[in-house]
Structure formats: structure tokens, C-alpha cells
Amino acid sequence: LTGRRIALCLEPALAEALSGFLSSLGVEILGPLYRCRTRAGVEARLMAPEARESIRYVDPSARSIADCLDEAKRDGPIDLFIGSSWDRESAARAGVAFLELGFPSLHYRPLTAAPFLGSKGALCLVERIVEQLLVQRFERGLHDTSPDPGLER
């Protein structure tokens, strides 16, 4: 996953945890966008003062999130957008691949256990991310036989 650009729009606690985890895998985190209506109560959760500069607070409208994605795309393509079911439309408007995570989850229905917390959850989540990146690659016509450098590890 090294070098991939992934945008997040999740509840503050989940966004912080996922940002740290994916950053440790070499992913460039865009945002994160905190899904909340106000900053009240959220800033107290921030661990480091320098983190306040990179965090965007958005209202939960599809248009505002799509605008943030469009802004992030100016610096280069976004490989994946991770958000709740409410964010699927925003990803489609921005033309970005989407992975549903968090609450609510109206479309993703695994038939077996599919956690995203703990050590088993970390493996499951990485598998879902890599699968979505491969699907995106195939759908965009890049299904040649050469290896994708970002997915070799």
C-alpha cells in the first residue's frame, strides 16, 4: 500500500485510528475529514496540536464532501475514498473508488466475520483495501499482466 493516496471521511475516533494504521503502512492520508456538524467536543480528542492543521471538519452533505475530494485531487489522483454509506454518493460525484467502512453500513454485507478492529480486523481491512484497489485497476482498463508496484508488498 506504500505510496497510495487514500481519503478518509469517518467519525473522529475511527478516522484517527485508521489514519495512524494506514500511515504506518506507507499510505498518504488525505484529510482526514471528520464527519461531524461542529468542532465542539472533537478537538479534545486530538492527540497532537500539529494535527489540528490537517483536519477538515465537514457537514454531512454529499456536496461538501465531494468538494473536499475535488480539492484533494488537485494534488494528484486519489486511489481510494473510505467512508460510511452516506459517502458513496460523494465518491461517485468525485469519480473516486469507494470502500464502505463505519456506521452506517447499508451496502457492505459480509457472509462471514469481517472485523476492522484488532489484529484480525487489520488483516481483513487490508484485504478489503487491496481488493478494492485491484477492482478499480481492472475497471479502468489497466488489467495488463505487469505487476502493480503499490500492491506487491
Side-chain angles (χ1 to χ4, degrees), residues 46-64:
L46 298 177
M47 303 297 274
E50 62 271 9
R52 291 187 177 115
E53 301 305 316
S54 65
I55 295 187
R56 297 282 302 270
Y57 299 85
V58 295
D59 67 357
S61 73
R63 181 73 258 158
S64 65

Side-chain angles (χ1 to χ4, degrees), residues 7-10 33-36 56-72 78 81-84 86-91 93-94 98:
L8 304 177
C9 183
L10 299 163
L33 302 176
Y34 278 179
R35 177 174 277 288
C36 56
R56 297 282 302 270
Y57 299 85
V58 295
D59 67 357
S61 73
R63 181 73 258 158
S64 65
I65 294 169
D67 289 345
C68 290
L69 289 174
D70 287 338
E71 182 181 321
I78 299 173
F81 176 44
I82 299 176
S84 72
W86 292 329
D87 302 315
R88 183 177 296 275
E89 181 184 339
S90 300
R93 283 184 184 188
F98 179 73

Side-chain angles (χ1 to χ4, degrees), residues 18-134:
L18 194 55
S19 291
F21 173 66
L22 292 176
S23 293
S24 74
L25 298 176
V27 171
E28 179 186 349
I29 300 298
L30 307 175
L33 302 176
Y34 278 179
R35 177 174 277 288
C36 56
R37 292 190 186 276
T38 69
R39 295 175 68 121
V42 176
E43 288 210 34
R45 293 181 162 177
L46 298 177
M47 303 297 274
E50 62 271 9
R52 291 187 177 115
E53 301 305 316
S54 65
I55 295 187
R56 297 282 302 270
Y57 299 85
V58 295
D59 67 357
S61 73
R63 181 73 258 158
S64 65
I65 294 169
D67 289 345
C68 290
L69 289 174
D70 287 338
E71 182 181 321
K73 286 183 352 184
R74 292 183 191 134
D75 295 329
I78 299 173
D79 294 305
L80 186 63
F81 176 44
I82 299 176
S84 72
S85 294
W86 292 329
D87 302 315
R88 183 177 296 275
E89 181 184 339
S90 300
R93 283 184 184 188
V96 176
F98 179 73
L99 183 118
E100 183 178 305
L101 184 70
F103 179 80
S105 180
L106 304 175
H107 305 283
Y108 177 67
R109 295 286 185 253
L111 297 176
T112 60
F116 60 88
L117 300 175
S119 57
K120 289 182 181 179
L123 289 173
C124 184
L125 182 58
V126 168
E127 180 180 29
R128 286 184 63 201
I129 290 170
V130 169
E131 178 183 20
Q132 187 59 42
L133 291 171
L134 289 171

